Amino acid sequence: MDLLEKQKFLQRQAMPLEDKITLSLRRIKDWINHWDGEVYVAFSGGRDSTVLADLVRQVDKYVPLVFSDTGLEIPEIRNFVKKIALTRNVVRVRPKKSFKRVIEEDGFALVSKKVAKQLRVLKGPRTDRNARMYDLYDTGKSADGRVGTAWKLPKKWRHLIDADIKISDKCCDHLKKEPLNTYAKESGRKPITGMMAAEGGARSTLTQCNMFDGKNAKSNPMLFWTQQDIEDYIKLRNLEICEVYFDREVEQPDGRIAMVPGEQRTGCMFCLFGVHLEKGNMNRFQKMALSHPRHHDTCINKLGLGKALDLIDVKYIPEEDDVKYVDAGL
Ligand code: SF4
């Protein structure tokens, strides 16, 4: 990465919120003008994309918000998107394959995209076609004979090679990428996303908000924002966000009222990626057992996620001591 470019980006990341808003609005305007208005917002109903939708509306209120309905959205997010659709042009796109079929035909997206891909390859046969990749994931040996650990499947997950479940990295391709790509192709519109470099991973290497060239042309006008900026913007604009971000009281089958902590992130509620890294008293599945018991039963028992979670030693039933109950007498 160009050092000067990176320095400029870090300066942008340190700007006050008002300046960031001004710059983001300019980026959005440039993008819309460049494509003669043929653009769309990739809208998830989550906090970041609600901020993005609000920014875009200040430039052009007719830009469609495209909601990729994977079938795995938290019900409250789905309701929030319906509410937004009362005042904005929301386009709903759906995947051709259901989550159930993805699990059956491709396998569980387990641990992380990288590990799921390594396992997909290593659970299959080593052939002439995949030999290089197979060896890289199995032993860390690359085509030039060098051996390293960067691409070798970590020891911690090797037991999953022989586990009696399918594992694959294809879930996002089927449920998220394909529907949005089809929409973009058919409509000819170019996406605006709420991606932020501060989220880490491959995103942290990006420094350009508007990428006009190539078949993956994309605008990320909030690339230099942070989670603190998102929170400050929501307060500044008095913006309504989905209720799942707040702690809520939920009645349990035994009549007690459990306090369910607000979500930090939304997206697919049955997603297994990263669940082994979650900190705090309860992970997403333990919280789901309290907040959405029917969905919990579907994913853990009917779709078999419980078996996949057992294999990576992740709990999905809350420990009694970790649940806070509201005293009905107060
Ligand atoms: S986020 Fe998780 S559940 Fe959703 S499509 Fe991607 S891998 Fe599948």
Side-chain angles (χ1 to χ4, degrees):
M1 187 191 306
D2 185 321
L3 209 60
L4 199 67
E5 186 65 31
K6 185 68 189 170
Q7 268 172 357
K8 269 202 302 200
F9 185 77
L10 291 174
Q11 278 168 6
R12 261 179 258 148
Q13 247 179 347
M15 290 191 307
L17 180 60
E18 299 82 77
D19 294 348
K20 287 186 178 178
I21 295 171
T22 306
L23 185 55
S24 294
L25 292 174
R26 202 187 312 151
R27 296 283 185 262
I28 293 167
K29 217 174 273 178
D30 289 346
W31 189 253
I32 294 175
N33 289 340
H34 183 86
W35 300 105
D36 288 332
E38 295 299 310
V39 304
Y40 71 93
V41 172
F43 183 64
S44 69
R47 193 163 38 188
D48 303 353
S49 73
T50 302
V51 167
L52 175 67
D54 189 65
L55 286 166
V56 173
R57 175 160 59 177
Q58 292 170 57
V59 181
D60 182 345
K61 62 182 176 180
Y62 297 109
V63 172
L65 310 181
V66 179
F67 173 56
S68 178
D69 187 354
T70 59
L72 301 179
E73 274 66 36
I74 302 172
E76 289 87 338
I77 285 280
R78 192 182 289 268
N79 290 338
F80 180 72
V81 173
K82 277 188 195 153
K83 196 171 171 189
I84 296 288
L86 297 174
T87 54
R88 300 284 296 268
N89 176 13
V90 175
V91 178
R92 180 170 160 262
V93 295
R94 301 233 46 199
K96 292 191 182 88
K97 228 180 191 184
S98 68
F99 183 58
K100 186 167 181 282
R101 263 186 66 203
V102 170
I103 290 174
E104 287 167 358
E105 293 172 13
D106 301 277
F108 292 98
L110 204 55
V111 183
S112 69
K113 199 160 173 60
K114 184 174 171 183
V115 169
K117 184 177 178 189
Q118 291 170 324
L119 286 164
R120 169 170 60 82
V121 172
L122 294 177
K123 280 170 92 62
R126 182 182 184 277
T127 62
D128 287 347
R129 257 183 98 199
N130 76 2
R132 276 187 183 181
M133 193 185 278
Y134 192 103
D135 292 345
L136 184 65
Y137 296 163
D138 188 28
T139 63
K141 193 174 175 185
S142 56
D144 58 10
R146 276 186 295 181
V147 179
T149 51
W151 282 99
K152 185 178 172 183
L153 176 69
K155 227 187 198 164
K156 189 177 178 186
W157 309 118
R158 285 198 77 87
H159 68 285
L160 294 170
I161 297 176
D162 300 319
D164 179 24
I165 57 167
K166 284 187 189 170
I167 297 174
S168 140
D169 54 325
K170 298 285 177 193
C171 190
C172 271
D173 292 350
H174 291 300
L175 300 189
K176 287 188 163 174
K177 280 192 196 151
E178 189 278 327
L180 282 174
N181 287 346
T182 303
Y183 171 82
K185 209 169 157 194
E186 287 175 1
S187 67
R189 291 178 179 267
K190 305 292 179 193
I192 309 177
T193 85
M195 190 188 288
M196 295 185 288
E199 289 169 297
R203 295 160 188 215
S204 62
T205 60
L206 298 174
T207 53
Q208 292 289 328
C209 291
N210 286 348
M211 294 181 288
F212 294 103
D213 297 331
K215 68 177 171 88
N216 292 323
K218 190 190 277 186
S219 172
N220 306 309
M222 293 160 55
L223 194 63
F224 46 87
W225 286 46
T226 63
Q227 271 306 323
Q228 188 58 52
D229 295 322
I230 295 286
E231 280 171 37
D232 293 345
Y233 184 90
I234 289 165
K235 278 192 208 129
L236 182 76
R237 300 273 298 168
N238 199 16
L239 204 61
E240 183 183 355
I241 58 167
C242 181
E243 64 191 277
V244 282
Y245 290 105
F246 305 100
D247 294 354
R248 53 220 193 274
E249 296 174 1
V250 184
E251 186 172 355
Q252 300 303 296
D254 63 6
R256 290 187 294 174
I257 309 288
M259 202 68 197
V260 181
E263 304 294 338
Q264 289 305 310
R265 305 197 66 80
T266 49
C268 301
M269 70 188 297
F270 296 172
C271 190
L272 293 161
F273 278 163
V275 65
H276 60 293
L277 300 174
E278 274 186 47
K279 298 202 170 62
N281 288 347
M282 288 187 281
N283 64 40
R284 69 193 77 160
F285 292 101
Q286 289 173 308
K287 282 198 272 181
M288 196 198 303
L290 300 171
S291 62
H292 300 86
R294 203 168 45 81
H295 292 78
H296 186 266
D297 178 49
T298 301
C299 76
I300 297 298
N301 302 315
K302 301 195 175 84
L303 294 172
L305 270 70
K307 185 176 173 185
L309 288 165
D310 286 340
L311 284 165
I312 58 169
D313 205 17
V314 169
K315 294 194 167 50
Y316 41 85
I317 306 290
E319 305 283 344
E320 185 62 20
D321 288 351
D322 291 335
V323 184
K324 285 200 180 80
Y325 292 99
V326 179
D327 189 340
L330 288 179

